[in-house]
Amino acid sequence: MNNSKKVVRFRNLPNELKPLLSVPTPLLLKSLENTVAILQARGEDVVDWDNKNRRICQFRMIGGKAYFLAEKREGK
């Protein structure tokens, strides 16, 4: 098996979202970050599923992989 090829799988992506496959990953991550900022401006925290005391605040590419960065929620 040739390990040099990256295997990409998508679960039933709706047709209207397929054009987004050509958008660069850093731009998609910035879009996620902007969406989180808008939700926070509305008073909604996006929290870490595994640690409810942490809220998502940034998305970054580090070493070619996508990560979310979270901070501790104050007063919760």
Side-chain angles (χ1 to χ4, degrees):
M1 184 171 158
N2 186 353
N3 290 332
S4 65
K5 291 185 179 180
K6 185 176 180 181
V7 176
V8 180
R9 296 183 182 146
F10 300 100
R11 293 177 278 155
N12 299 329
L13 192 62
N15 286 335
E16 58 269 11
L17 294 180
K18 288 184 180 178
L20 294 175
L21 292 174
S22 63
V23 175
T25 301
L27 185 57
L28 288 172
L29 293 174
K30 189 60 180 173
S31 174
L32 287 170
E33 195 168 301
N34 290 337
T35 301
V36 168
I38 291 167
L39 288 169
Q40 288 175 347
R42 292 180 177 181
E44 299 289 339
D45 279 341
V46 179
V47 298
D48 183 340
W49 182 269
D50 295 323
N51 185 348
K52 304 293 190 254
N53 293 324
R54 294 171 54 92
R55 70 180 186 149
I56 307 294
C57 58
Q58 295 179 355
F59 295 86
R60 294 288 183 263
M61 288 290 294
I62 303 171
K65 294 186 179 188
Y67 291 90
F68 73 85
L69 306 173
E71 62 187 7
K72 287 185 179 179
R73 292 168 56 187
E74 295 181 20
K76 299 212 177 187

